[in-house]
Amino acid sequence: IIDTPGAYPGIGAEERGQAWAIAENLACLSQLNVPTIALILSEGGSGGALALALTDEVWMCENATYSILSPEGFASILYKDASLAPEVAKVMKLTSFELLDYHLIDRIIPETPDGLHSNPKITYTYLRKELYDVFKALQGLSNEERLHKRYQKYRLMGEFKEGDTSCRK
């Protein structure tokens, strides 16, 4: 379960090995011999969130966001003005529906109109069945097949598919 606005992007974090920890996590998850599913619950806004989501499937709650860094961080880096976060958030394409369209996530978990927190039991009931079905299917694969599919998923992510002009992947 991923729910983090992200680590502070300062020099101190880098001096304490933040990049190394993310890289180590990516290497570990890429070779894990068990089925894995990441669920972005609310906010996944960092390299750490991306590192935790190198899984067989990535699911997002309907109202969650997911990106390499926060809109405030993006605006600060690009424009030196964090107050531009609302504008850059639109450019970042960080909503569940946008990321599903870009094939960067595998599934959207529906929420009630008032959000997950208003009635979490509905979401948990839905998740229980979906998780069972997907884990059962993933367990039906050999370790080699599952690892190969996981590798292919992330190896091919970001590449254009022939004839695909709908979006930039």
Side-chain angles (χ1 to χ4, degrees):
I1 294 175
I2 298 166
D3 189 10
T4 177
Y8 177 73
I11 188 98
E14 290 305 323
E15 289 171 345
R16 289 187 297 279
Q18 177 177 287
W20 177 85
I22 289 170
E24 188 74 18
N25 197 78
L26 288 167
C28 179
L29 279 174
S30 71
Q31 295 300 309
L32 211 52
N33 285 322
V34 295
T36 55
I37 296 174
L39 171 63
I40 294 109
L41 189 60
S42 176
E43 185 176 5
S46 69
L50 296 177
L52 292 170
L54 199 150
T55 54
D56 297 310
E57 294 210 6
V58 178
W59 300 359
M60 277 181 77
C61 287
E62 183 176 356
N63 297 311
T65 59
Y66 182 43
S67 63
I68 187 66
L69 79 159
S70 70
E72 293 80 9
F74 184 100
S76 292
I77 291 167
L78 196 59
Y79 301 110
K80 309 291 187 240
D81 185 356
S83 71
L84 296 174
E87 289 80 16
V88 299
K90 294 172 190 166
V91 174
M92 291 176 72
K93 308 292 185 207
L94 44 69
T95 69
S96 60
F97 295 100
E98 291 165 327
L99 294 172
L100 185 66
D101 284 345
Y102 281 94
H103 308 285
L104 295 173
I105 65 165
D106 300 293
R107 186 178 301 213
I108 295 173
I109 306 304
E111 297 183 47
T112 60
D114 293 329
L116 174 63
H117 64 283
S118 67
N119 192 346
K121 188 172 184 175
I122 292 172
T123 303
Y124 298 147
T125 301
Y126 174 84
L127 274 174
R128 183 177 180 181
K129 181 192 180 324
E130 296 299 310
L131 285 169
Y132 177 83
D133 292 345
V134 171
F135 271 119
K136 188 173 181 179
L138 289 170
Q139 287 175 329
L141 301 172
S142 70
N143 281 338
E144 293 79 22
E145 289 172 307
R146 192 170 44 254
L147 288 173
H148 179 73
K149 284 184 75 164
R150 192 181 302 154
Y151 173 80
Q152 288 300 314
K153 174 182 182 147
Y154 293 100
R155 174 71 178 101
L156 298 175
M157 191 175 278
E159 291 185 9
F160 285 101
K161 307 290 188 267
E162 188 172 331
D164 183 3
T165 58
S166 62
C167 63
R168 188 173 174 185
K169 295 187 180 92

